[in-house]
């Protein structure tokens, strides 16, 4: 299996699910978060073919720095995204 195919499979089955529920993970305790981090670390090791004993933090940071988007977003060039103005500093303001 090629590197590009492996990356596509990992993104389809793991990363997309982690990203989809990202806002819900803020309310979790340490134990469920540790399980999710273990899954993400295993996917990174599988993608980079690194050993289980190697430190994962530099590997993940290298992967995140080397990531570039393949296409530009429609709203970026047309300026369709507008951040709403909030009057008070509450939870709604933290989302933006």
């Amino acid at each position: 299996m090629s590197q590009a195919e492996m990356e596509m499979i990992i993104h389809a089955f793991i990363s997309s699910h982690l990203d989809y529920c990202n806002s819900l993970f803020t309310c979790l305790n340490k134990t469920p978060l540790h399980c999710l981090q273990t899954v993400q670390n295993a996917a990174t090791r599988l993608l980079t073919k690194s050993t289980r004993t190697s430190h994962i933090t530099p590997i993940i940071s290298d992967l995140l720095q080397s990531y570039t988007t393949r296409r530009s977003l429609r709203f970026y060039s047309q300026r369709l995204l507008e951040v709403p103005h909030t009057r008070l500093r509450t939870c709604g303001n933290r989302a933006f």
Side-chain angles (χ1 to χ4, degrees), residues 18-57:
L18 291 176
D19 290 342
Y20 176 70
C21 297
N22 196 13
S23 62
L24 299 175
F25 296 151
T26 58
C27 301
L28 291 179
N29 294 332
K30 269 188 170 179
T31 305
L33 283 179
H34 180 70
C35 293
L36 293 172
Q37 185 66 47
T38 303
V39 169
Q40 187 177 23
N41 292 350
T44 303
R45 285 192 175 99
L46 183 66
L47 182 63
T48 59
K49 298 178 183 164
S50 58
T51 63
R52 186 169 166 83
T53 57
S54 61
H55 292 285
I56 198 67
T57 305

Side-chain angles (χ1 to χ4, degrees), residues 2-88:
S2 71
Q3 181 79 9
E5 291 171 342
M6 181 70 73
E7 185 177 343
M8 190 181 335
I9 290 171
I10 288 174
H11 180 67
F13 290 109
I14 297 171
S15 301
S16 62
H17 293 295
L18 291 176
D19 290 342
Y20 176 70
C21 297
N22 196 13
S23 62
L24 299 175
F25 296 151
T26 58
C27 301
L28 291 179
N29 294 332
K30 269 188 170 179
T31 305
L33 283 179
H34 180 70
C35 293
L36 293 172
Q37 185 66 47
T38 303
V39 169
Q40 187 177 23
N41 292 350
T44 303
R45 285 192 175 99
L46 183 66
L47 182 63
T48 59
K49 298 178 183 164
S50 58
T51 63
R52 186 169 166 83
T53 57
S54 61
H55 292 285
I56 198 67
T57 305
I59 297 171
I60 289 178
S61 65
D62 288 343
L63 283 176
L64 291 175
Q65 287 176 356
S66 65
Y67 176 75
T68 57
T69 58
R70 294 188 179 124
R71 61 184 177 91
S72 63
L73 299 175
R74 288 180 297 203
F75 67 83
Y76 187 74
S77 61
Q78 298 174 359
R79 301 201 184 261
L80 297 176
L81 180 65
E82 183 178 323
V83 178
H85 177 69
T86 56
R87 199 169 51 108
L88 301 174

